[in-house]
Amino acid sequence: MAGRYGRPRSVLRMRTVAGQVFLLQVAIVVLLVAAAIAALVLQSGTDSEREARNRSVAVAQSFAGAPGMEAALKSPDPTAVLQPRAETVRKGSDVDFLVVMNTHGIRYTHPMTNRIGKKFVGTLGPALAGHVVTEQTTGTIGPLVQAVVPVIGHDGKVVGLVSAGVTLSKVSGVAADQFPLLFGSAAGVLLLTTGGTALVSRRLRRQTHGLGPQEMTRMYEHHDAVLHAVREGVLIVRGDGRLVLANDEARRLLDLPPDVEGRQVAELGLDPATAALLESGRVVTDEVHPVGDRLLAVNQRSTDDAGGPPSSVTTLRDTTELRALTGRADLARGRLRLLYDAGTEIGTTLDVVRTCEELARFGAARFGDIVTVDLAESVLKGEEPGTAGPAVAMRRTAVGGEVPDGSLYPVAEPVHFAPTTALGVRLPVGEPVLEPDLAAFAGWQRQDPERARQIVAHGIHSLIAVPLRARGVILGAALFWRSRTPEPFDEDDLSLAEELVARAAVSIDNARRYTREHTMAVTLQRSLLPRALPEQSAVDAAFRYLPAQAGLGGLGGVGGDWFDIIPLPGARVALVVGDVVGHGLHAAATMGRLRTAVHNFANLDVPPDELLWHLDELVTRIDQDEGTEATGEGAKSPITGATCLYAIYDPAAGVCTMARAGHVQPLLVRPDGDAEFLEVPGGPPLGLGGMPFDTCRLELPEGSSLVLYTDGLVEDRDRDIDEGMALLRRTLGTGPGRTPQAMCEAALGALLPDRPADDIALLVARTRRLEAARIADWDVPVDPSAVAQARAAAVRKLIEWGLADEAFTTELILSELVTNAIRYASGPIRVRLIHDRSLVCEVADRSSTSPHLRYAATTDEGGRGLFLIAQLAERWGTRYTGDGKVIWTEQALPDPARVPVAAGGPGR
C-alpha cells in the first residue's frame, strides 16, 4: 500500500502509523527517565537540606550545653574564653560557622574576627523564648542552613544564644558523586527501550501496509459511511458473480438476508431482470427496475478501469416516493409559512390579553374559522399557574372569527371543562383533543348539552382543542372550530395546531411573567415611597408619583424616581427628589437603598453639599461591589447616573439651602405667581466620584412654592426637556393663590403624555414662617452665674406660652447645656427656644467639639449630664454650623391641641 501511494517503505518514515507509534513510545520512555532523574535530584537536594539542618542543630545544641558555658557568658571577656573553643568545635564538626551571642544578638565569637561585636543576622525571637530556630538563608558564603539555640542558665532563664550554620554545597557533595552513575544507567535504559520499540514498530508497519493515520482514518470513514450512512444502496459483485459487499440501504431496498456476502447473485432470490443485470456487469445509468412495490433507479460501473480487481459497483436509489414527496413538500412549505407568519403577528406586545386576541384573530383567518382562547384566572393576574386539573378556574379571554349567536361562550365568561368529557380529562394534563365530527356527539356535548345542539345547528362541524403549555405548566386552552370550511380537522391539522399554540403559549407566558414583574416592581416601589407626608410645620406639601406605562419596548415600567419630606431638628424640613436611571426591580430596589441612605445621612443633620458627597461615595461603593459580583450570566447593572436634589428649609429664618447632583433645576413660584427656575449649582450625577458639590442659599418669602420634580415630567420622546421646562414654568406661573394640590393637578394636566415612557415624581412645597412670638432667643455671658438667669428667662417664656408643666424639665436640660458650654466651649453662647409641634431647646457656641453620651463611673465627678438629658428629652443631637455647633433637644408636648399653626396656612 505504501508503494501504491509513492512513498518509501521505511520505518523511519514518521508519517506512517508505525512511525508515529515509535516516536510516541520513545517520547514516553524519555519522559519516564527524565522524571526519575528529576526525582532523584530533588530528593538529593531535600536530603542535603535535612542533613544541614540536623548538623547545625546538633552542633549548636552541643556547644550551648557544654559545661562552663554560663560562666563564660557571664565572664568579663566572653570572647576570649569562647572564641578558641568555638573555632575548635567548628573545625571538628565540619560546620561553616559557630557563633555565640548574648540575648541582644551581639556576637561573642565568629570565624571572621572582624564581625565579633556586631549584631547577628537571623531570627532570634523563638530562641529567646527557649525554642530552637532553624532557617534557610543566603549569606556571603552562599545558600546555607543555620540554627539558633538558647543557652539556659541554672535558674532556667536564657542567658545567651548559640548559632551554627552549614552551607548546602558542603553536604550535597555525596549526592553529586552519584550523578555520573545515574545518568549512565538512564542512557542504557533509554537505548534498550528504543531498540525494543523499533522492533515493535517494524511489525506494526508490516500489518498496516505503511499507511498513515489520516489514510487509515479516511479509509475507515469511507467504508463505514458506505455501509451505514449512505442513503443509496451499494453492491459490489466480483467477476465470478459472487456478492462481495452490500450496505444497509441495499439490504433494505432488495430485502436481502443477513448473510449475503460471498454468495452467488443467483442465490439471493432477486427477480430475474435485476439478477441478470448484476451478474452482467454492464454499464447502466439511472435504469429503472421494479423490485417488489418499489421503483429503483440503478447505476452500475466496472472497477477494471481504475486498475482494481475485476468486479462491478452498483448503486440503487428509491424513486417511489418522489411524486408523493413533491406534494407533501408544497404542503409543508405552506405550513412553515403559516408558522412564520404566526411568529410575526402573535406576541407583538407584553400584554396577556392582547396576545390571546392576536392568537384568536390569526387562527380564525389562517387555520380555523373560529378560535376561542381560555386562560386560567391566575395567569390573567400575572401569577404563576396553579396545579393542573379539571378544577382549574378559567375565563374566556379572546374570540376570533364570526361566532353565531348563542353558540359559544362569550368573552369574560367563566369556563369550566367537565371532567366527564375528553376536554376535561385531557386538556388539564397537557394532551390535545381532536373531534373531527361534532355532529356525531361522541361525548363532547356533555360539557353543555343545550349549547352543543346550538353549535351543531349553526354549522360548526369540527373541533381541535390544544392546551396552552409553557415551562411544563398549563396556562389555558385554545379551541379551533370549523364551520365555513367543509373539510374536517385531521391529524396533520392537529400537529399544526399544537405547533401554533406552543409558540403562542411562550408569548403568553412571557407577557404573564412581565406583568408579574411589573406588578412586583410597582408594589416594591410604592412600598418604598412615602405613603403619607410626615407631620411638620415648615411647609404645606402635595405630591404625585406616576410609574411609566408598561410594555413600551423595554422603556416602560416602574423606575427609580423618589421623593421625600424629612423633618429635621429646629422645626426645619428636608425636601428630597431623586431619579435612578433604568426601570424594573433593580431600579426600584436601588431607589429604596438610596432613599434609606438619604434618611440616615439626614439624621446626621449635615449640610446639603456634604450629604450629597456622602451619597456619592455610597453609590460608588455599591457600583464597585456589584461589579465584583458579576457572573457568567452577565455583569450586574451599575447605578451610576442616579441624580438627586436635596434642600433644607428653615421656617424660623425663612432660608432654604439647596444642592443638586445632576438633577434638573427646581422651580420657585413666588406668592405673587411669578415663577422662575433657581440657579442651583450643578454637580455630577451620583456615582462618578471625586467631584465636589456646591450649595445655593436664598431667603424665600412666606407662601413661596418650591416645585421639585424628575425629568419624566418635562421630557418626552416628542418633547425636548427645555421645551418641557418652559411649559412647566408657564403652567405654574399663571396666577397666585393656588394650593400645592392644585399646582400638582395643573402640572400633570399640562405635561403628562398619554403613554409616559418614564416615571414621574412631583413634589410641591409651599413655605411657612414660624411666628416670632413662638421663638425666643438670647445671649448668655460666659459666666457660671449666668446659668440661673438663663433658666429664669426660659421659665418665664414657657409660662407665657402656656407650657408651665414643661418648665422643670426644661430648666434641667437648659442648665446642663449652658453649663457645659460655659465650661468646655468658647463664647459667645446663645440660647433659643422654639414652640412648634414639640418644644425645641438649642444652645449654640463656637466650639466644634461634640459631646458624647456615656455611662459615668461611681467615682467620676462628671459625665452624667448628657445621660440625664437623654432621659428627659424625646430627642437630642448636635448640628454643626460654619462657626461652631448647636446642641438641641426636643420635648414632646402633652397636648397636641395646643400645637401652634405656622403663619403659612393649616397643617397637613
Side-chain angles (χ1 to χ4, degrees), residues 673-726:
D674 184 27
E676 62 174 328
F677 287 102
L678 299 177
E679 294 297 329
V680 181
L686 299 175
L688 296 183
M691 299 296 291
F693 298 94
D694 201 359
T695 59
C696 171
R697 186 177 186 274
L698 67 158
E699 186 173 351
L700 301 180
E702 184 177 348
S704 300
S705 295
L706 275 174
V707 182
L708 311 181
Y709 54 92
T710 56
D711 57 0
L713 178 66
V714 294
E715 187 178 20
D716 189 50
R717 58 185 64 184
D718 299 326
R719 182 178 59 218
D720 185 73
I721 187 171
D722 294 332
E723 180 184 350
M725 293 177 67

Side-chain angles (χ1 to χ4, degrees), residues 398-541:
V399 175
E402 297 181 4
V403 180
D405 294 339
S407 56
L408 302 179
Y409 295 115
V411 174
E413 185 79 10
V415 176
H416 175 74
F417 296 112
T420 58
T421 64
L423 296 177
V425 173
R426 302 179 63 180
L427 289 181
V429 297
E431 297 179 1
V433 176
L434 170 62
E435 292 286 350
D437 185 9
L438 296 178
F441 294 108
W444 67 274
Q445 75 281 358
R446 289 193 290 269
Q447 172 73 25
D448 190 339
E450 180 61 29
R451 193 177 295 272
R453 287 192 294 270
Q454 294 182 14
I455 289 174
V456 175
H458 285 93
I460 302 176
H461 60 83
S462 189
L463 165 67
I464 287 179
V466 181
L468 284 161
R469 186 170 186 170
R471 298 185 300 110
V473 295
I474 306 300
L475 308 177
L479 281 68
F480 301 88
W481 313 79
R482 275 188 177 173
S483 57
R484 296 189 307 274
T485 304
E487 294 83 7
F489 289 119
D490 56 17
E491 293 292 337
D492 292 337
D493 294 326
L494 179 61
S495 62
L496 178 61
E498 288 185 281
E499 182 67 23
L500 177 63
V501 172
R503 297 190 179 194
V506 174
S507 299
I508 293 174
D509 189 56
N510 288 338
R512 177 197 63 79
R513 297 172 69 182
Y514 177 81
T515 301
R516 180 187 62 181
E517 180 179 349
H518 182 262
T519 303
M520 290 172 58
V522 170
T523 303
L524 172 62
Q525 188 173 43
R526 292 197 180 278
S527 66
L528 296 175
L529 288 172
R531 301 184 180 181
L533 297 181
E535 294 184 357
Q536 44 79 37
S537 303
V539 295
D540 182 18

Side-chain angles (χ1 to χ4, degrees), residues 565-594:
I565 294 182
I566 306 173
L568 298 178
R572 297 169 303 139
V573 68
L575 307 174
V576 190
V577 65
D579 185 5
V580 176
V581 175
H583 295 83
L585 287 174
H586 179 75
T590 301
M591 177 272 292
R593 297 165 76 178
L594 295 184

Side-chain angles (χ1 to χ4, degrees), residues 536-538 568-573 649-652 770 834 836 840 842 890:
Q536 44 79 37
S537 303
L568 298 178
R572 297 169 303 139
V573 68
Y649 175 67
D650 185 356
L770 292 180
I834 300 176
D836 190 41
V840 180
E842 297 180 347
E890 288 186 4

